[in-house]
Amino acid sequence: MIDYVILAVICVISYIMKIPYFNLPLDRDYGAHGYIAYRWLKGTGLMYRDIYESKTPGLKIIYMIIIKFMGISRKSFRQFFAFYNVITTIAVYVLGTLLGGPVAGYCAALLYALFSSLPSLWWHFSNMESYYTLPMVLSFLFIVLAVQSGGMLVMTAIFLCGFFCGITFM
């Protein structure tokens, strides 16, 4: 029980540290990603034809989800990222626990929560690299599960590792 309380505290810290950034304006890149997602939702623009973009479309799909369900505002982008960051913190904890035990899991989650909120590292913005972290960690998590387990779970874990690796590059 205490394990979940410690993890919950770390997740709350992760979310609270993002609150001061909720009303910051979006940078040019992030505003452009939001604009592309908005145009897609309206059915009035095609990326790579109407709008120049050198990145893959995965982030725009996330932004479409944000706009569709949370509205179009800088606060909605930032709130979603804070929630997404909490999920990533949990995934980092699970991976750290599998690799080094509960203390390693707590340390990894706490360090991720802290470093993902430092303005000097640009992780407090909802930039593309920060969205890559969750599927990448999940990919590592499933390959570790595949190595540590046996039977039918191995093939499922390897499949999920590849799936999340593919999402990372999307």
Side-chain angles (χ1 to χ4, degrees):
M1 180 66 175
I2 191 77
D3 293 344
Y4 297 117
V5 172
I6 294 171
L7 181 60
V9 168
I10 292 171
C11 290
V12 168
I13 289 169
S14 174
Y15 190 87
I16 289 173
M17 289 180 71
K18 299 267 188 292
I19 291 174
Y21 308 118
F22 280 180
N23 289 315
L24 287 178
L26 297 174
D27 286 0
R28 180 195 60 82
D29 288 348
Y30 317 124
H33 299 316
Y35 178 71
I36 293 168
Y38 176 77
R39 294 276 309 263
W40 277 6
L41 281 172
K42 295 293 183 188
T44 58
L46 293 175
M47 193 165 80
Y48 311 119
R49 188 197 77 183
D50 296 339
I51 302 168
Y52 171 75
E53 180 59 59
S54 62
K55 312 249 183 339
T56 57
L59 182 65
K60 281 63 161 190
I61 293 168
I62 291 174
Y63 277 24
M64 286 173 63
I65 293 168
I66 295 169
I67 292 169
K68 181 78 172 170
F69 295 106
M70 297 178 69
I72 186 165
S73 72
R74 67 181 78 149
K75 189 172 184 178
S76 63
F77 287 99
R78 304 278 190 215
Q79 284 176 322
F80 179 84
F81 176 64
F83 175 72
Y84 189 90
N85 200 64
V86 166
I87 294 170
T88 306
T89 302
I90 293 168
V92 166
Y93 165 77
V94 173
L95 180 60
T97 301
L98 283 175
L99 292 173
V103 174
Y106 297 136
C107 290
L110 183 61
L111 289 172
Y112 178 78
L114 294 174
F115 283 118
S116 67
S117 299
L118 292 177
S120 60
L121 298 177
W122 286 88
W123 282 89
H124 65 295
F125 289 112
S126 55
N127 60 8
M128 292 187 73
E129 292 80 12
S130 57
Y131 284 104
Y132 297 159
T133 307
L134 178 60
M136 178 186 61
V137 169
L138 290 174
S139 180
F140 288 133
L141 176 68
F142 283 111
I143 197 64
V144 168
L145 284 173
V147 169
Q148 292 180 355
S149 65
M152 290 296 293
L153 185 59
V154 171
M155 294 310 290
T156 303
I158 290 172
F159 169 79
L160 289 171
C161 170
F163 176 76
F164 285 112
C165 185
I167 288 176
T168 301
F169 288 99
M170 185 61 169

